[in-house]
Amino acid sequence: MGSMAPTADESLLKHRAFVAFWLARTCSSFGFQMFSVAISWQIYALTNSAMALGIIGLMQFLPSVLLALPAGHLADQFDRRRIVLLGQLIECAALVALVFLTLFHWAGKIEIWGLVFLISVAKALEWPAITSMLPALVPPGILARAMASTSVGSQAAVIVGPTLGGLLYVAGPDVVYGVSAAFYLLSLCLVARLRYERPPQTRLPMNLPNLFAGVRFIRDRKDVLGVISLDLFAVLLGGATALLPIFAQDILHTGPWGLGLLRGAPSVGALLVGIWLSRNKLEKHVGMIMFGSVAGFGVATLVFALSTQLWLSLLALAALGGFDMVSMVIRGALVQLDTPDDMRGRVNAVNAIFINTSNQLGEFESGMLAAFFGAVPAAAIGGVGTLVVVGLWMALFPHLRKRQKLENDPQHEATRN
């Protein structure tokens, strides 16, 4: 097909179910980003304790890991749209509860932690179901562009959401929670009206073999194992963004405004590249493009580590975000297209565990390295480590390296088995 003009079938806007899905995901992302900013400000204003802030992180992290496999099993067994509706209904109700608790001055740290935990449980329940819905809404040939578009909405929320939340916080945290609840309500309405059909599934018991079926599937499919493990190690090693406050203050000698720019730079890079990917189809050499983008991520991390100029650091971080977006879209589409529909919930759940734990552990690893060696060597080690992992994975997964298209080629598959 090459560079032919997109046909009606290739236009994402022609797929009304996808447009509703995109709007719903973007609305809930905005709601969550605004809520995240307000909850941090509110708990710190109440307690003046860094530990209280840390517990919010823990309340979000635990459900995302502990409930992922059961949530993946449910997403494969039951109506995915109903699971998403239930999750968003709980999130919306928890935000409304935060509005009332704050208005009547009943919001203490225990109540806030409890509601954050409830929201995190709902998000953990919803995640495998909502990610598994996307392949049914567009043809396989444009799935990568659909995923890029969805990521663009999420990145826009990451950039604009916290700023909007911060501005509204001036009027009080209850106002932010109210607006966040409205975003979730809008998302709920869009998902409820979404046309998503799936044949009834054979009910399987929630036992250990069925819960871990996603892990076995990933282990047996070399390409899926390759992309998920590459992401795990690249994120583990490339967690330099956790060190941004140190770089801003001690190396780039800038204030809070500079730190704000540094934090936003990766999202800006990701947003720009995501817009391009949502309009252009990846036709050839997807394996090498993915490896090249992860290597680019490593090089950008290295440039950031060695930079002493704010403008160069911002460019490096924007490049880092852009490269990450390319590999994320290819990885995500490849995993979805190589996984049968009745396994997608469980495979996406395992993928979510890897992403969540590697992000958290990557920040921890960067912090530990920085404590022992200093921030610059820690970030540089991460960049070099990412390049080493890319080289190793290219040798370990030759079929993935040679892969041309996102859609699996049965003949190519047959020659490999």
Side-chain angles (χ1 to χ4, degrees):
M1 231 150 46
S3 57
M4 282 165 58
T7 62
D9 186 45
E10 286 187 306
S11 169
L12 289 170
L13 293 174
K14 290 279 175 10
H15 300 276
R16 292 179 64 181
F18 169 73
V19 174
F21 176 87
W22 185 90
L23 287 168
R25 286 291 300 268
T26 304
C27 284
S28 60
S29 294
F30 264 95
F32 183 73
Q33 291 297 334
M34 291 169 66
F35 147 78
S36 299
V37 162
I39 209 85
S40 301
W41 272 106
Q42 189 181 15
I43 197 101
Y44 196 66
L46 279 170
T47 63
N48 210 23
S49 156
M51 178 69 81
L53 278 176
I55 290 173
I56 281 193
L58 188 68
M59 291 294 163
Q60 291 178 318
F61 176 67
L62 286 176
S64 71
V65 174
L66 297 177
L67 297 177
L69 293 181
H73 180 81
L74 291 173
D76 285 338
Q77 299 299 301
F78 296 98
D79 185 330
R80 286 170 181 162
R81 186 174 59 169
R82 284 188 182 172
I83 294 171
V84 173
L85 288 171
L86 175 64
Q88 296 200 344
L89 193 61
I90 294 169
E91 288 158 63
C92 191
L95 284 163
V96 171
L98 277 168
V99 171
F100 284 104
L101 286 174
T102 306
L103 270 175
F104 295 109
H105 306 287
W106 295 334
K109 61 182 181 184
I110 303 295
E111 290 81 5
I112 291 174
W113 287 336
L115 286 166
V116 168
F117 185 75
L118 184 64
I119 288 171
S120 305
V121 166
K123 277 186 79 67
L125 178 75
E126 175 199 342
W127 178 254
I130 201 162
T131 46
S132 302
M133 281 173 72
L134 182 54
L137 304 178
V138 293
I142 59 171
L143 179 63
R145 285 175 46 219
M147 292 186 84
S149 294
T150 307
S151 295
V152 164
S154 302
Q155 290 296 336
V158 168
I159 296 167
V160 181
T163 312
L164 196 56
L167 289 171
L168 287 172
Y169 195 90
V170 176
D174 49 314
V175 175
V176 187
Y177 300 138
V179 175
S180 296
F183 270 117
Y184 269 102
L185 192 60
L186 195 53
S187 178
L188 260 169
C189 296
L190 287 160
V191 174
R193 292 177 58 105
L194 183 79
R195 283 193 62 189
Y196 174 76
E197 284 160 16
R198 185 170 173 241
Q201 301 301 301
T202 313
R203 293 277 182 270
L204 297 170
M206 196 183 278
N207 54 26
L208 284 177
N210 286 329
L211 281 178
F212 283 88
V215 177
R216 284 198 307 278
F217 178 88
I218 291 166
R219 187 193 64 202
D220 295 340
R221 293 291 178 104
K222 289 286 184 283
D223 284 7
V224 177
L225 177 65
V227 290
I228 289 179
S229 56
L230 176 69
D231 179 42
L232 175 71
F233 284 102
V235 172
L236 253 178
L237 292 161
T241 45
L243 307 174
L244 287 180
I246 304 172
F247 275 89
Q249 189 175 314
D250 300 345
I251 290 146
L252 302 169
H253 308 294
T254 179
W257 68 274
L259 177 60
L261 288 176
L262 291 167
R263 280 201 186 285
S267 292
V268 172
L271 185 72
L272 294 173
V273 172
I275 290 168
W276 188 87
L277 285 171
S278 69
R279 300 180 65 82
N280 293 276
K281 202 171 171 185
L282 295 166
E283 298 271 53
K284 286 181 181 173
H285 312 299
V286 293
M288 281 306 293
I289 291 170
M290 184 191 66
F291 280 119
S293 58
V294 180
F297 179 89
V299 171
T301 303
L302 203 52
V303 171
F304 170 73
L306 303 174
S307 164
T308 55
Q309 301 292 321
L310 182 60
W311 65 268
L312 182 58
S313 297
L314 289 170
L315 275 179
L317 287 171
L320 179 147
F323 283 124
D324 191 40
M325 175 62 86
V326 177
S327 65
M328 190 176 79
V329 165
I330 293 175
R331 285 193 317 263
L334 206 143
V335 169
Q336 296 274 39
L337 290 167
D338 276 16
T339 306
D341 185 62
D342 63 347
M343 284 294 301
R344 278 194 183 119
R346 284 167 286 181
V347 169
N348 283 327
V350 177
N351 201 7
I353 292 175
F354 283 156
I355 291 166
N356 285 323
T357 48
S358 61
N359 277 323
Q360 308 277 346
L361 288 173
E363 291 186 6
F364 175 71
E365 173 264 345
S366 293
M368 288 293 103
L369 277 178
F372 284 110
F373 303 112
V376 172
I381 289 166
V384 172
T386 304
L387 293 171
V388 170
V389 166
V390 169
L392 270 174
W393 259 238
M394 284 174 75
L396 288 169
F397 298 94
H399 180 263
L400 185 57
R401 187 183 73 232
K402 294 172 191 163
R403 186 150 170 167
Q404 292 293 312
K405 290 182 176 295
L406 288 167
E407 301 96 77
N408 217 344
D409 179 357
Q411 287 182 322
H412 206 158
E413 196 67 29
T415 58
R416 191 167 58 110
N417 291 336

